[in-house]
């Protein structure tokens, strides 16, 4: 007799993001005017002493940004993170194959700095790929959405 049960994968945050990970997808801006931008993001991660350090090379059409993220492991399901453009602490919660990351991010729009609320939803689809949807809002109004496919390099 064969079983129709599929094994549920567990997302190990520091293992997936240690080494090189490439993400490709789109940014859908809803404000100030609707537009769609192509994204290509490369992460290089290193995990030691319960800290995951990620160097992000972010490319949005022709715009290029480098960010340095740091996540402190609190437990197998909870991490706290920092990045220079983040106000406060990044909260990362993991439940089996799902990850939820929440934080306030400082953006520069038309020479003004605004702080937006970011919610990242990630789902591990196999050992080497994560699908991600990110919602960016201000005062509860959705400003943008990001859809990415993350692929871990061998």
């Amino acid at each position: 007799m064969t079983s129709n049960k599929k094994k549920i994968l567990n997302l190990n945050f520091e293992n997936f993001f240690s080494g090189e990970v490439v993400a490709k997808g789109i940014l859908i801006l809803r404000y100030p005017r609707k537009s769609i931008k192509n994204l290509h993001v490369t992460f290089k991660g290193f995990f030691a002493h319960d800290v995951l350090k990620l160097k992000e090379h972010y490319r949005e059409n022709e715009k290029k940004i480098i960010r340095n993220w740091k996540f402190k492991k609190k437990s197998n399901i909870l991490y706290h993170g920092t990045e220079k453009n983040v106000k406060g602490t990044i909260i990362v919660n993991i439940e089996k194959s799902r990850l939820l990351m929440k934080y306030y991010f400082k953006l520069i729009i038309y020479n003004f700095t605004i702080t937006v609320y970011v919610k990242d939803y990630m789902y591990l689809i196999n050992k080497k790929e994560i699908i991600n949807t990110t919602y960016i809002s201000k005062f509860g109004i959705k400003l943008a959405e990001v859809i990415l496919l993350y692929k871990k390099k061998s």
Side-chain angles (χ1 to χ4, degrees):
M1 181 182 270
T2 59
S3 174
N4 288 336
K5 288 185 178 180
K6 290 187 177 184
K7 185 178 178 190
I8 295 175
L9 297 172
N10 288 321
L11 175 58
N12 183 306
F13 187 51
E14 69 266 14
N15 284 351
F16 189 89
F17 283 98
S18 289
E20 186 173 350
V21 175
V22 175
K24 294 180 182 177
I26 58 172
L27 166 65
I28 304 166
L29 292 170
R30 302 193 186 287
Y31 186 84
R33 64 179 181 267
K34 188 169 182 179
S35 64
I36 298 175
K37 298 184 179 193
N38 295 318
L39 299 180
H40 185 275
V41 187
T42 302
F43 296 92
K44 291 195 174 145
F46 178 75
F47 183 75
H49 309 291
D50 283 338
V51 176
L52 174 64
K53 293 181 181 178
L54 287 175
K55 184 167 194 168
E56 173 190 12
H57 291 265
Y58 175 93
R59 194 170 75 226
E60 173 189 303
N61 290 351
E62 302 305 315
K63 179 178 169 183
K64 294 180 184 179
I65 300 170
I66 295 174
R67 296 185 184 107
N68 292 292
W69 303 84
K70 190 185 294 184
F71 297 93
K72 173 76 173 155
K73 184 174 185 173
K74 298 295 185 177
S75 71
N76 286 336
I77 62 169
L78 178 65
Y79 295 77
H80 287 173
T82 59
E83 200 279 333
K84 74 175 185 173
N85 293 303
V86 171
K87 184 177 178 181
T89 302
I90 303 164
I91 305 297
V92 180
N93 288 295
I94 298 168
E95 184 181 325
K96 297 183 181 173
S97 57
R98 297 184 307 264
L99 178 148
L100 172 61
M101 187 179 321
K102 300 185 280 187
Y103 55 96
Y104 289 93
F105 194 78
K106 294 180 273 183
L107 290 175
I108 297 174
I109 300 176
Y110 300 119
N111 295 324
F112 292 101
T113 300
I114 66 164
T115 301
V116 295
Y117 184 60
V118 178
K119 283 177 90 169
D120 271 314
Y121 294 92
M122 297 184 184
Y123 181 75
L124 182 68
I125 50 179
N126 60 54
K127 290 180 183 178
K128 300 279 186 186
E129 295 177 313
I130 289 176
I131 191 151
N132 167 244
T133 302
T134 302
Y135 299 99
I136 302 161
S137 63
K138 180 78 176 174
F139 304 123
I141 300 166
K142 190 184 338 178
L143 304 177
E145 183 176 344
V146 176
I147 302 166
L148 293 169
L149 177 63
Y150 289 74
K151 290 189 176 192
K152 182 167 180 63
K153 297 285 187 174
S154 298

